[in-house]
Amino acid sequence: MAEYFAGFIATPRGFDVVFPDLPECTASGSTLEESYASAATRLAGLLKESRGALPAPSSPEAVRRSLAGRAAVIRPVNTFDAELVEASRLFASQSPFSQDGSSCCSF
């Protein structure tokens, strides 16, 4: 599992996510939860693409300093959460229940 600190920046559309240690790794979402899931998935993809050859993560203090002047919430993002997001999506797509919680089958 890899973990990097990211800056979550509020925008009119929701939240943009930046990883100061990984400038090529960005994400966004309309809610904080959605942006976190997007960031975790993007981080996992980048780790897979790079075959684990990413720079060592900076401390939260170093990330905070690198985002000085921007209103950002600093939060750790890890690849394990990306696996949970993917499992949740898979479960939802195979669920026998409709989106409103009612059963798809009548008895």
Side-chain angles (χ1 to χ4, degrees), residues 11-22:
T11 70
R13 304 175 316 281
F15 294 89
D16 287 342
V17 185
V18 296
F19 291 87
D21 294 329
L22 308 166

Side-chain angles (χ1 to χ4, degrees), residues 12-52:
R13 304 175 316 281
F15 294 89
D16 287 342
V17 185
V18 296
F19 291 87
D21 294 329
L22 308 166
E24 69 278 20
C25 189
T26 60
S28 63
S30 57
T31 65
L32 189 57
E33 292 79 14
E34 186 180 295
S35 62
Y36 181 87
S38 178
T41 301
R42 181 65 185 113
L43 177 60
L46 184 63
L47 184 65
K48 186 176 181 179
E49 290 169 15
S50 70
R51 295 188 171 98

Side-chain angles (χ1 to χ4, degrees), residues 48-69:
K48 186 176 181 179
E49 290 169 15
S50 70
R51 295 188 171 98
L54 296 177
S58 296
S59 69
E61 294 78 20
V63 170
R64 191 170 288 110
R65 281 191 304 274
S66 73
L67 295 172

